[in-house]
Each structure stands twice: as structure tokens, then as C-alpha cells.
Amino acid sequence: MLQPRRALRLALLALVLAGSGCSSLLFYPEPGQPLTPRAAGLDYRDVELRAADGTRLHAWWLPAKAGQEVRGTVLHLHGNGGNLAWHLGGSWWLPEQGWQVLLLDYRGYGLSEGSPALPEVYGDLEAAFAWLEAEPAVRGKPLAVLGQSLGGALAVRFLAQQRERRGQVSALVLDGVPASYREVARHMLGSAWLTWPLQVPLSWLVPDGDSAVEAMPQLQGLPVLIYHSRDDALVPLANGLRLYRAAAPPRLFQPTRGGHVQTFAEPAWRALMLRFLADPQAAGGLAESSPDEISR
């Protein structure tokens, strides 16, 4: 459940920004770099990117483990809180399996300059794609995108708008992604007594034009694997189901258990993602149960 203090903060922030349509409601960045991938025993290098507007961005490049055949590259787009150091748990395991990773911090996060807002953050995704396009280690291998929480919603909207970049992606993996920013805000506001009476009017202050569910049908032909936890208290399971139903085949929905975007703490879900990346077009054949059965 949303803590009362956090709910009050969201309510007051929404009131301050009333009528502005300010997308800063979506972003909660943390500056600095509390740890590096070496804390997890990983080789890495710092990468500096430049967005088209000149904003300097920071990312980590995690090469495939020495001795492993390079199978491809994963662009990891993290959620709306903290910075990339907080989200290493989503992709630390991929280099050992032969997948190299670019983990991006959006503007205002970690060591990246600027302040996060839409549509400027889409320029950060474009900078990541441009870097990957120029990186020799990436060429000739599959490129997949892993979007967790807000990062998944950003990925869906970006790829729907940028057909050329969409054509470069072999597979999309979504984990705990909100289908609608406004509906998630309503859920959060409704989970605390302090903001429950205001959940509907305040949620309408959250910009929803870039929500993922409206863009999903435009990703036709791109294989999608969607994870969502039955226990997710921040972004309820219904969000993942809505995204699955809005997506065109090939697609796969996998329900999980545990907290928000804690999916890859479970070896079985890491193994499923690896099978999906190896043959994305066969996504439907990996399903264990249908979304209709899950939602009953």
C-alpha cells in the first residue's frame, strides 16, 4: 500500500502542477553513483552519450563475459526512480549468458545532465540507439530492448514513433510496465485514505498522451514478451494484460510473483527471456497459460 506521506507528497505535487500538464510527475531521479557493476563482479565501462539538444548522458556498457560467444545486445531502460545503479538487478545476469548490455540513465538521473521531462527523454533513447549503431561490438548481432516499469512505456512509445529504430530491434521485453500513467496514478492515490477522495480529479493531472497501451498496436511485427507480477502493488497486473491484448502477434504474456520489477531474481524467468531472445518469432509457443485464464 502507498505510504500516507508518499501519497500526500504526490497529492501536493499534483496540486502545485495543476493545469500545467507537467510530465515531471512521472520521474523521480536520484543523482550520483552509489556503486558500479564491479560490486556485482561485472566488467564494465562508462559510456558518455550526447542527446541531440547537447545534453550529456551517462550509461554503463556491460560486455559479454570473457569466453562467451556474443549472442547479441540488450538496451536496458530502467524505471522512474533512482538511477542505473538501483536497476542493475534487471540485467546483471545477461553478460554471463553472452548478451552485452547498454544500461542508460535518462537526463537528470545518476551522472546524466539535465532534468527529465517528456518529450525530451525520447531524445535520450535516440542517443542510445545512435551509440549502439556506431558501436562495432553490436554490428551483425540481434538488438533487443528490455524496458522495466516506466522504461518499458518509454520504449513502446519511442519505437511506435521511430519506425527506423523499430526495424533495428529484434525483440522487446516489458517488465511491470504501466499501460496508462493516469490509471496507475489513480491506483496509487486510491490506496491511501488521505488521497482516496481525490484519486479521480488528481489523476487527471497526470499526462497520459504517451501511455503505452495506445502505442502497442503500432509495433506490429515486433515480437514482445510481457512479464507482470500478480503481486505488483505499484502497477497492478491488469496493466500487463491490457498491453498484451493491445499487442500484435508474436507476443507472450508471463505472470510472475513478487514485488514490482523483481522478475529476474527468479532463474526460471531469466531462462524464459533467454529462450525468447534466441527465437523471438516463436514467442507464442513459449506460453504456459493464456491471459484469459490468468484474468479469471
Side-chain angles (χ1 to χ4, degrees):
M1 180 178 288
L2 186 66
Q3 296 298 316
R5 183 174 297 177
R6 187 176 176 191
L8 178 60
R9 180 186 175 204
L10 180 60
L12 292 175
L13 183 58
L15 289 170
V16 169
L17 297 172
S20 68
C22 184
S23 62
S24 61
L25 282 167
L26 302 175
F27 300 100
Y28 293 88
E30 183 74 26
Q33 182 173 269
L35 56 82
T36 74
R38 286 209 176 91
L42 296 172
D43 187 19
Y44 83 104
R45 80 174 193 258
D46 290 299
V47 172
E48 181 176 307
L49 314 175
R50 289 277 178 177
D53 63 3
T55 302
R56 184 187 63 81
L57 306 171
H58 175 248
W60 283 336
W61 174 251
L62 311 179
K65 185 176 180 180
Q68 285 285 339
E69 176 188 356
V70 177
R71 300 183 182 278
T73 303
V74 173
L75 171 60
H76 182 185
L77 303 175
H78 64 66
N80 72 336
N83 57 51
L84 48 71
W86 297 26
H87 298 280
L88 187 59
S91 52
W92 66 268
W93 55 278
L94 286 164
E96 188 173 4
Q97 303 299 324
W99 288 87
Q100 47 200 13
V101 177
L102 182 67
L103 178 51
L104 171 70
D105 251 347
Y106 320 117
R107 60 188 61 210
Y109 285 76
L111 303 181
S112 294
E113 295 177 343
S115 299
L118 295 176
E120 289 81 0
V121 167
Y122 295 125
D124 302 347
L125 272 61
E126 171 58 30
F129 271 91
W131 186 90
L132 289 166
E133 190 173 43
E135 172 60 35
V138 176
R139 294 174 190 165
K141 298 287 186 179
L143 170 61
V145 176
L146 166 61
Q148 295 191 289
S149 194
L150 176 68
L154 295 174
V156 169
R157 176 59 64 172
F158 176 82
L159 293 173
Q161 294 173 334
Q162 303 295 330
R163 296 184 64 181
E164 181 180 350
R165 295 307 188 192
R166 183 166 78 245
Q168 297 170 351
V169 175
S170 61
L172 174 63
V173 180
L174 303 178
D175 180 20
V177 173
S180 162
Y181 298 135
R182 185 169 295 145
E183 289 183 17
V184 169
R186 186 176 302 162
H187 167 76
M188 293 176 65
L189 290 164
S191 63
W193 66 266
L194 194 63
T195 53
W196 184 90
L198 300 173
Q199 60 185 286
V200 174
L202 289 183
S203 68
W204 279 95
L205 301 179
V206 176
D208 207 38
D210 285 345
S211 287
V213 71
E214 302 299 329
M216 282 296 288
Q218 300 173 50
L219 302 185
Q220 191 164 8
L222 177 60
V224 182
L225 166 58
I226 300 172
Y227 291 102
H228 215 107
S229 175
R230 299 174 186 267
D231 309 316
D232 197 324
L234 294 178
V235 182
L237 177 69
N239 285 264
L241 291 168
R242 286 188 67 196
L243 291 174
Y244 173 83
R245 292 178 178 128
R251 58 186 181 166
L252 169 63
F253 183 83
Q254 179 58 61
T256 64
R257 302 309 299 248
H260 183 58
V261 297
Q262 299 302 305
T263 302
F264 300 112
E266 172 56 56
W269 306 141
R270 299 201 296 264
L272 175 62
M273 179 170 163
L274 292 173
R275 294 198 302 273
F276 172 71
L277 294 181
D279 189 4
Q281 294 296 330
L286 298 173
E288 296 181 2
S289 57
S290 76
D292 288 335
E293 293 171 339
I294 294 162
S295 59
R296 286 176 192 151

